[in-house]
Amino acid sequence: MPINSYLVYPRLGEKEALITHLNKISECETLEASNEDIVILVTDTTDELHEGILQENLKLIPEIQGMALVYAQEG
Amino acid sequence: MEFNQSLDRRQFIKNLAISSAIIAAKTLIPGVLFARESDFKNLGDVDWNKTPCRFCGVGCGLLVAIKDGKAVAVKGDPQSPVNKGLCCVKGYHSIQSLYAKDRLTKAQIRKNGVMVDVPISQALDLVAKKMKDSIAKYGKDSVAMYGSGQWTIPDGYIASKFMKGALGTNNLEANARLCMASAVTGFISTFGLDEPMGCYEDIDYADVFILWGNNMAEMHPVLFSRILDRKNKNRKVKIIDLATRTTRTSYAADKSMLFEPQTDLAIANAICFEILHNDKIDQKFFKNHVALKKGKTNIGYGLEDDFQFKDKLETIDLDAVKTFLKDYTPEKVAKYSGLSVEDIRYLASLYYDPKLKVMSLWCMGVNQHTRGTWMNNLIYNIHLLVGKISTPGNSPFSLTGQPSACGTVREVGTLTHKLPYGVVMSKKAREKAAKIWQVPASQIPSKPTHHTVSMFRALDRGEIKFMWIQVTNPMVTMPKLQRYRDGAKKKDSFIVVSDIYPTPTTDIADVILPSALWFEREGMFGNSERRTQHFDKLVNPPGEAMSDGLQIMEVATRMGHGKLFPWTKENYIEKVWAEYSQFHENDKHRMAPYEVLKKNPGMRWPYVKGKETRWRFNAKYDPAAKGSSFDFYGKPDGKAWFIIRPYEQAPERPDEKYPFLLCTGRVIEHWHSGSMTMRIPALYQAVPAGYVEIHPIDAKELGVGNGSKVKITSRRGSLILKVLMDGRARPRKGDLFVPFFDESILINELTLDAFCPISKQPDYKKCAVRIEKV
């Protein structure tokens, strides 16, 4: 049951769209910086299989400029 | 940030993940803000209460939510002119410092070598008896009190009145001696009055920020975010990081300049040389408002127990200044400082360009320095030469480390030589204190006794038999720690410690008194910009914990001095404030009334006719300044004093046996000795242990990498630590850096107790060590 957190950098002008996109994914929660273009993403998946699927899906999100893993725990 | 006390494990892990990400984001982007009203939606209907943060000297305003008698959430106060809604990681997690499991809630007394719980009244009885016995047997100066810049203003005032007015001893010191004393003596020698002439609003006007040995991105992150904000809004703004270590501040700066430790003295003089050499002096300002002086040289380092020093200033002329500065041409200084000739000329040009407003900012790099007073003088010299002072944006600004180093230690004067107004050596000041305190003037001794290092040396020699330590952790923070720990543990010494958690200092205590923390009681702090901030009691302290001031009043009453403290626990803060304000009933230092402080997010003194003062010594802004321009009224001649000070080397230099220089300091996540922040899960997780930073070339030569164990040895001791390379900072080749927050790795076992002979502040930034692979 992995729980991870990331710093996510949106593409220029795409922060709101990115947050909307991420929030549609049930395993994702976001926390938006109110004064900078950066978003905290927390993911909570049931097992390694779903974690792998989620990570592949995240790679496909076009609004993401880059993301950095900050915290990871098996849960 | 919201902290639910009954989280399930999964939610707890999620919160940890969020906290870790917030910390990472804040260290990458100082000032980034995540707190939103929506984050607090689960709290329901709660009151948000204002209080200043207590985790540095900036004095950020916080709003704290209270629910069911507990602090449950905290956010930056958007109404606070200090931080405008921002917080750093310590601020966001600050309320968790109240709730760790091992909080001290009961008094303890050492019986047969073991600490046992007792009712606090019994412990206070014992403290009073031991003080009385010691005074009766060994005299007044056998008892001492050691507090801190985290004392509230009323607590510091009560301590001063108790020790100096009631007991009649000047054995009162505070840990601000270890962090701010050089700033004080710098102010006093140059201006005759303590504390900055400017304020944080200078940041909104300055074009250039020159940071002297000051890692603001970690140590004063919210102020640094204001500087970055200023830069983002105005592209011509420049930040120059003049330091001995590459830090997060360096990465954010326009230019990073690394210098050989201690040569900042020479660099400052070289800047003065360049200003004069290029005829860029502000002639009118300099002629009308500056007097020229020189002091003693080759002044020693205070390493001997019987060390004594008193500076003597003599008047000189401009030719003498020019002759003195000939030793500090950029070419000469570049040979040993690490800066290039071009760097020095560039720095000078920033200071003398009439189109640029310049702020100099500094803190421990300048103050924890065996020539700390001199460095403060020299930065003022630069600003005085070019007339860039006491106007918006032109400001030499000494930053403070603790929440009330200014308000309590410097303004109340909880130091051996100080009174709430003036110094003990002054008959007028003693008479004023005696009148307000209603004690005979003869009760207050006219001679200072011990500064901090001297006080702990006297404890080691057995001259001080009783010491009461409040709000500080000297068994982590004293330099050359082994000597002072052994001294405190001597059989015939009696140590009382008031604190909120067990620490290495409570380990050596004979009595432990549980203290109330910050908004578990009412109080005031005074920050770096002369701003006094009031806070209400928001929650009850746990168990029998009580404020440090109340503890002192209880002991004073037991010793027969109750009539000096005729207040109740409900009203003593307001009464103390009214009495203390009598010491400052003049336009140079008038304090805001209690009811004004209660309503507002702080007021900057002098508070005159309903208005705070932003820039002192300038008649346009300061009601105490006479005439139409500048009036440096702290000196009898109405002038600021330009004091020539030479470059003199540090007492320990690298040699064959100890080829490295050790610097100690802090990290953004932890507050001083870590007794509170190491108990906050997110901050502990972020940096759980001390480490040593080493330059990659030195690491390669030593055959070590990240995580390798190394042994560091100085002439005073050895420690084993893990290596951290290029984590958040990089020292110069030949230098090492170790933070001091980890009580399991007491780096002060290795440091040297050399101090500035004028301020008596120790130098924690330079001692010779060797490093070996383990």
Side-chain angles (χ1 to χ4, degrees), chain B residues 473-539:
Chain B
N473 194 2
M475 293 301 114
V476 174
T477 57
M478 283 298 292
K480 198 180 177 180
L481 187 53
Q482 178 84 40
R483 176 181 179 188
Y484 303 119
R485 187 172 55 242
D486 289 349
K489 285 160 77 173
K490 281 186 177 162
K491 216 174 180 182
D492 61 345
S493 65
F494 194 86
I495 308 291
V496 179
V497 179
S498 303
D499 213 322
I500 65 164
Y501 288 114
T503 67
T505 305
T506 60
D507 286 348
I508 55 115
D510 298 289
V511 173
I512 298 172
L513 298 172
S515 290
L517 181 62
W518 173 36
F519 56 76
E520 290 170 342
R521 38 73 53 85
E522 186 186 5
M524 294 98 168
F525 289 143
N527 80 352
S528 287
E529 60 162 354
R530 295 174 280 107
R531 181 182 296 275
T532 312
Q533 301 191 78
H534 172 273
F535 48 95
D536 277 314
K537 178 181 173 181
L538 304 180
V539 294

Side-chain angles (χ1 to χ4, degrees), chain B residues 241 243-248 250-251 256 258 728-732:
Chain B
D241 181 46
T244 60
R245 176 171 162 251
T246 303
T247 66
R248 286 171 177 165
S250 319
Y251 299 131
S256 161
L258 293 180
R728 64 180 67 199
R730 175 188 281 195
R732 296 160 65 254

Side-chain angles (χ1 to χ4, degrees), chain B residues 228-243:
Chain B
L228 294 178
D229 184 53
R230 167 75 179 147
K231 183 174 168 55
N232 286 338
K233 288 172 180 163
N234 188 335
R235 290 291 166 194
K236 74 173 182 177
V237 166
K238 289 198 165 16
I239 303 169
I240 311 296
D241 181 46
L242 188 54

Side-chain angles (χ1 to χ4, degrees), chain B residues 567-610:
Chain B
W567 313 305
T568 67
K569 65 179 179 182
E570 287 78 24
N571 73 5
Y572 77 100
I573 299 295
E574 183 175 2
K575 298 289 183 187
V576 163
W577 187 255
E579 185 177 297
Y580 167 55
S581 296
Q582 292 176 50
F583 282 91
H584 297 305
E585 283 180 343
N586 62 77
D587 286 355
K588 296 173 185 171
H589 200 139
R590 193 179 302 279
M591 308 302 283
Y594 176 78
E595 56 274 18
V596 171
L597 294 177
K598 283 260 299 179
K599 281 181 197 158
N600 292 283
M603 281 290 162
R604 286 164 290 194
W605 61 264
Y607 181 84
V608 181
K609 293 177 183 166

Side-chain angles (χ1 to χ4, degrees), chain A residues 3 29, chain B residues 7-16 18:
Chain A
I3 293 176
E29 288 178 33
Chain B
L7 298 174
D8 62 28
R9 174 177 155 71
R10 194 147 191 82
Q11 189 58 47
F12 176 79
I13 294 170
K14 266 191 184 176
N15 283 357
L16 203 57
I18 293 170

